mmCIF file of all heavy atoms in Angstrom:
data_model
loop_
_atom_site.group_PDB
_atom_site.id
_atom_site.type_symbol
_atom_site.label_atom_id
_atom_site.label_comp_id
_atom_site.label_asym_id
_atom_site.label_seq_id
_atom_site.Cartn_x
_atom_site.Cartn_y
_atom_site.Cartn_z
ATOM 1 N N VAL A 1412 91.425 40.008 -23.300
ATOM 2 C CA VAL A 1412 90.579 40.654 -22.287
ATOM 3 C C VAL A 1412 89.851 39.579 -21.433
ATOM 4 O O VAL A 1412 89.752 39.717 -20.199
ATOM 5 C CB VAL A 1412 89.546 41.592 -22.932
ATOM 6 C CG1 VAL A 1412 88.504 42.057 -21.898
ATOM 7 C CG2 VAL A 1412 90.267 42.811 -23.555
ATOM 8 N N GLY A 1413 89.440 38.451 -22.068
ATOM 9 C CA GLY A 1413 88.786 37.413 -21.336
ATOM 10 C C GLY A 1413 89.652 36.724 -20.330
ATOM 11 O O GLY A 1413 89.226 36.327 -19.271
ATOM 12 N N LYS A 1414 90.995 36.697 -20.613
ATOM 13 C CA LYS A 1414 91.937 36.145 -19.638
ATOM 14 C C LYS A 1414 92.319 37.077 -18.510
ATOM 15 O O LYS A 1414 92.899 36.705 -17.536
ATOM 16 C CB LYS A 1414 93.180 35.641 -20.378
ATOM 17 C CG LYS A 1414 92.992 34.440 -21.246
ATOM 18 C CD LYS A 1414 94.324 33.987 -21.861
ATOM 19 C CE LYS A 1414 94.121 32.726 -22.644
ATOM 20 N NZ LYS A 1414 95.400 32.289 -23.248
ATOM 21 N N LYS A 1415 92.001 38.339 -18.753
ATOM 22 C CA LYS A 1415 92.351 39.408 -17.786
ATOM 23 C C LYS A 1415 93.880 39.445 -17.636
ATOM 24 O O LYS A 1415 94.588 39.722 -18.600
ATOM 25 C CB LYS A 1415 91.650 39.206 -16.477
ATOM 26 C CG LYS A 1415 90.094 39.317 -16.635
ATOM 27 C CD LYS A 1415 89.375 39.249 -15.328
ATOM 28 C CE LYS A 1415 87.879 39.412 -15.595
ATOM 29 N NZ LYS A 1415 87.110 39.389 -14.314
ATOM 30 N N GLY A 1416 94.433 39.169 -16.499
ATOM 31 C CA GLY A 1416 95.849 39.239 -16.354
ATOM 32 C C GLY A 1416 96.297 40.632 -15.940
ATOM 33 O O GLY A 1416 95.593 41.633 -16.019
ATOM 34 N N ALA A 1417 97.557 40.701 -15.525
ATOM 35 C CA ALA A 1417 98.148 41.934 -14.953
ATOM 36 C C ALA A 1417 98.483 42.952 -16.068
ATOM 37 O O ALA A 1417 98.665 42.545 -17.233
ATOM 38 C CB ALA A 1417 99.341 41.616 -14.145
ATOM 39 N N ALA A 1418 98.688 44.165 -15.659
ATOM 40 C CA ALA A 1418 99.073 45.222 -16.610
ATOM 41 C C ALA A 1418 100.567 45.154 -16.812
ATOM 42 O O ALA A 1418 101.338 44.641 -15.967
ATOM 43 C CB ALA A 1418 98.710 46.579 -16.034
ATOM 44 N N GLY A 1419 100.976 45.660 -17.949
ATOM 45 C CA GLY A 1419 102.416 45.720 -18.279
ATOM 46 C C GLY A 1419 103.082 47.001 -17.794
ATOM 47 O O GLY A 1419 102.573 47.684 -16.878
ATOM 48 N N VAL A 1420 104.167 47.346 -18.441
ATOM 49 C CA VAL A 1420 104.952 48.537 -17.986
ATOM 50 C C VAL A 1420 104.173 49.834 -18.197
ATOM 51 O O VAL A 1420 104.431 50.827 -17.538
ATOM 52 C CB VAL A 1420 106.293 48.632 -18.734
ATOM 53 C CG1 VAL A 1420 107.177 47.452 -18.404
ATOM 54 C CG2 VAL A 1420 106.069 48.760 -20.240
ATOM 55 N N ASP A 1421 103.170 49.871 -19.091
ATOM 56 C CA ASP A 1421 102.380 51.043 -19.322
ATOM 57 C C ASP A 1421 101.228 51.173 -18.350
ATOM 58 O O ASP A 1421 100.473 52.190 -18.405
ATOM 59 C CB ASP A 1421 101.887 51.116 -20.793
ATOM 60 C CG ASP A 1421 101.003 49.946 -21.138
ATOM 61 O OD1 ASP A 1421 100.757 49.091 -20.241
ATOM 62 O OD2 ASP A 1421 100.496 49.909 -22.245
ATOM 63 N N ARG A 1422 101.038 50.164 -17.511
ATOM 64 C CA ARG A 1422 100.018 50.166 -16.483
ATOM 65 C C ARG A 1422 98.581 50.148 -16.999
ATOM 66 O O ARG A 1422 97.593 50.353 -16.318
ATOM 67 C CB ARG A 1422 100.168 51.350 -15.535
ATOM 68 C CG ARG A 1422 101.500 51.361 -14.755
ATOM 69 C CD ARG A 1422 101.540 52.426 -13.714
ATOM 70 N NE ARG A 1422 102.834 52.402 -13.018
ATOM 71 C CZ ARG A 1422 103.148 53.277 -12.016
ATOM 72 N NH1 ARG A 1422 102.262 54.213 -11.658
ATOM 73 N NH2 ARG A 1422 104.287 53.157 -11.382
ATOM 74 N N GLN A 1423 98.462 49.851 -18.300
ATOM 75 C CA GLN A 1423 97.116 49.735 -18.889
ATOM 76 C C GLN A 1423 96.499 48.333 -18.567
ATOM 77 O O GLN A 1423 97.126 47.344 -18.915
ATOM 78 C CB GLN A 1423 97.185 49.915 -20.413
ATOM 79 C CG GLN A 1423 95.806 49.897 -21.083
ATOM 80 C CD GLN A 1423 95.871 49.921 -22.578
ATOM 81 O OE1 GLN A 1423 96.689 49.245 -23.165
ATOM 82 N NE2 GLN A 1423 95.075 50.744 -23.221
ATOM 83 N N SER A 1424 95.401 48.338 -17.968
ATOM 84 C CA SER A 1424 94.757 47.061 -17.601
ATOM 85 C C SER A 1424 93.938 46.543 -18.778
ATOM 86 O O SER A 1424 93.648 47.290 -19.723
ATOM 87 C CB SER A 1424 93.844 47.232 -16.350
ATOM 88 O OG SER A 1424 92.726 48.084 -16.695
ATOM 89 N N THR A 1425 93.493 45.288 -18.701
ATOM 90 C CA THR A 1425 92.593 44.736 -19.703
ATOM 91 C C THR A 1425 91.319 45.511 -19.741
ATOM 92 O O THR A 1425 90.699 45.695 -20.820
ATOM 93 C CB THR A 1425 92.365 43.271 -19.496
ATOM 94 O OG1 THR A 1425 91.904 43.033 -18.161
ATOM 95 C CG2 THR A 1425 93.592 42.463 -19.769
ATOM 96 N N GLU A 1426 90.833 45.972 -18.562
ATOM 97 C CA GLU A 1426 89.581 46.718 -18.467
ATOM 98 C C GLU A 1426 89.745 48.078 -19.201
ATOM 99 O O GLU A 1426 88.856 48.480 -19.937
ATOM 100 C CB GLU A 1426 89.195 46.956 -17.038
ATOM 101 C CG GLU A 1426 88.734 45.697 -16.290
ATOM 102 C CD GLU A 1426 89.909 44.900 -15.764
ATOM 103 O OE1 GLU A 1426 91.074 45.337 -15.924
ATOM 104 O OE2 GLU A 1426 89.661 43.827 -15.192
ATOM 105 N N ASP A 1427 90.878 48.722 -19.021
ATOM 106 C CA ASP A 1427 91.172 50.000 -19.664
ATOM 107 C C ASP A 1427 91.195 49.803 -21.212
ATOM 108 O O ASP A 1427 90.598 50.599 -21.963
ATOM 109 C CB ASP A 1427 92.510 50.589 -19.237
ATOM 110 C CG ASP A 1427 92.521 50.983 -17.777
ATOM 111 O OD1 ASP A 1427 91.435 51.231 -17.204
ATOM 112 O OD2 ASP A 1427 93.599 51.004 -17.192
ATOM 113 N N PHE A 1428 91.871 48.757 -21.608
ATOM 114 C CA PHE A 1428 91.913 48.445 -23.085
ATOM 115 C C PHE A 1428 90.546 48.189 -23.659
ATOM 116 O O PHE A 1428 90.177 48.681 -24.736
ATOM 117 C CB PHE A 1428 92.844 47.250 -23.323
ATOM 118 C CG PHE A 1428 93.178 47.036 -24.786
ATOM 119 C CD1 PHE A 1428 94.314 47.551 -25.334
ATOM 120 C CD2 PHE A 1428 92.352 46.230 -25.597
ATOM 121 C CE1 PHE A 1428 94.644 47.322 -26.692
ATOM 122 C CE2 PHE A 1428 92.650 46.050 -26.916
ATOM 123 C CZ PHE A 1428 93.797 46.584 -27.471
ATOM 124 N N SER A 1429 89.763 47.410 -22.889
ATOM 125 C CA SER A 1429 88.432 47.044 -23.376
ATOM 126 C C SER A 1429 87.515 48.280 -23.518
ATOM 127 O O SER A 1429 86.701 48.349 -24.439
ATOM 128 C CB SER A 1429 87.784 46.060 -22.409
ATOM 129 O OG SER A 1429 86.531 45.603 -22.866
ATOM 130 N N GLU A 1430 87.662 49.259 -22.651
ATOM 131 C CA GLU A 1430 86.844 50.446 -22.665
ATOM 132 C C GLU A 1430 87.150 51.260 -23.918
ATOM 133 O O GLU A 1430 86.241 51.962 -24.463
ATOM 134 C CB GLU A 1430 87.084 51.322 -21.456
ATOM 135 C CG GLU A 1430 86.477 50.706 -20.183
ATOM 136 C CD GLU A 1430 86.794 51.524 -18.985
ATOM 137 O OE1 GLU A 1430 87.446 52.629 -19.123
ATOM 138 O OE2 GLU A 1430 86.381 51.163 -17.866
ATOM 139 N N GLN A 1431 88.367 51.153 -24.455
ATOM 140 C CA GLN A 1431 88.755 51.888 -25.671
ATOM 141 C C GLN A 1431 89.024 50.938 -26.815
ATOM 142 O O GLN A 1431 89.830 51.215 -27.703
ATOM 143 C CB GLN A 1431 90.016 52.724 -25.383
ATOM 144 C CG GLN A 1431 89.860 53.709 -24.215
ATOM 145 C CD GLN A 1431 88.908 54.788 -24.545
ATOM 146 O OE1 GLN A 1431 88.822 55.253 -25.689
ATOM 147 N NE2 GLN A 1431 88.164 55.248 -23.523
ATOM 148 N N GLU A 1432 88.295 49.822 -26.808
ATOM 149 C CA GLU A 1432 88.586 48.700 -27.708
ATOM 150 C C GLU A 1432 88.654 49.133 -29.220
ATOM 151 O O GLU A 1432 89.613 48.803 -29.929
ATOM 152 C CB GLU A 1432 87.547 47.624 -27.534
ATOM 153 C CG GLU A 1432 87.785 46.365 -28.346
ATOM 154 C CD GLU A 1432 86.819 45.300 -28.002
ATOM 155 O OE1 GLU A 1432 86.921 44.658 -26.928
ATOM 156 O OE2 GLU A 1432 85.851 45.092 -28.815
ATOM 157 N N ILE A 1433 87.644 49.826 -29.691
ATOM 158 C CA ILE A 1433 87.619 50.156 -31.114
ATOM 159 C C ILE A 1433 88.774 51.069 -31.498
ATOM 160 O O ILE A 1433 89.456 50.829 -32.506
ATOM 161 C CB ILE A 1433 86.247 50.853 -31.453
ATOM 162 C CG1 ILE A 1433 85.125 49.841 -31.255
ATOM 163 C CG2 ILE A 1433 86.255 51.363 -32.869
ATOM 164 C CD1 ILE A 1433 83.718 50.423 -31.509
ATOM 165 N N ALA A 1434 89.042 52.043 -30.655
ATOM 166 C CA ALA A 1434 90.129 52.978 -30.946
ATOM 167 C C ALA A 1434 91.473 52.245 -30.805
ATOM 168 O O ALA A 1434 92.382 52.473 -31.668
ATOM 169 C CB ALA A 1434 90.098 54.111 -29.941
#
Side-chain angles (χ1 to χ4, degrees):
V1412 169
K1414 288 184 176 180
K1415 297 185 178 180
V1420 295
D1421 61 358
R1422 299 186 178 180
Q1423 183 186 45
S1424 68
T1425 52
E1426 291 82 3
D1427 294 336
F1428 189 94
S1429 184
E1430 288 177 3
Q1431 303 294 324
E1432 184 175 284
I1433 295 177

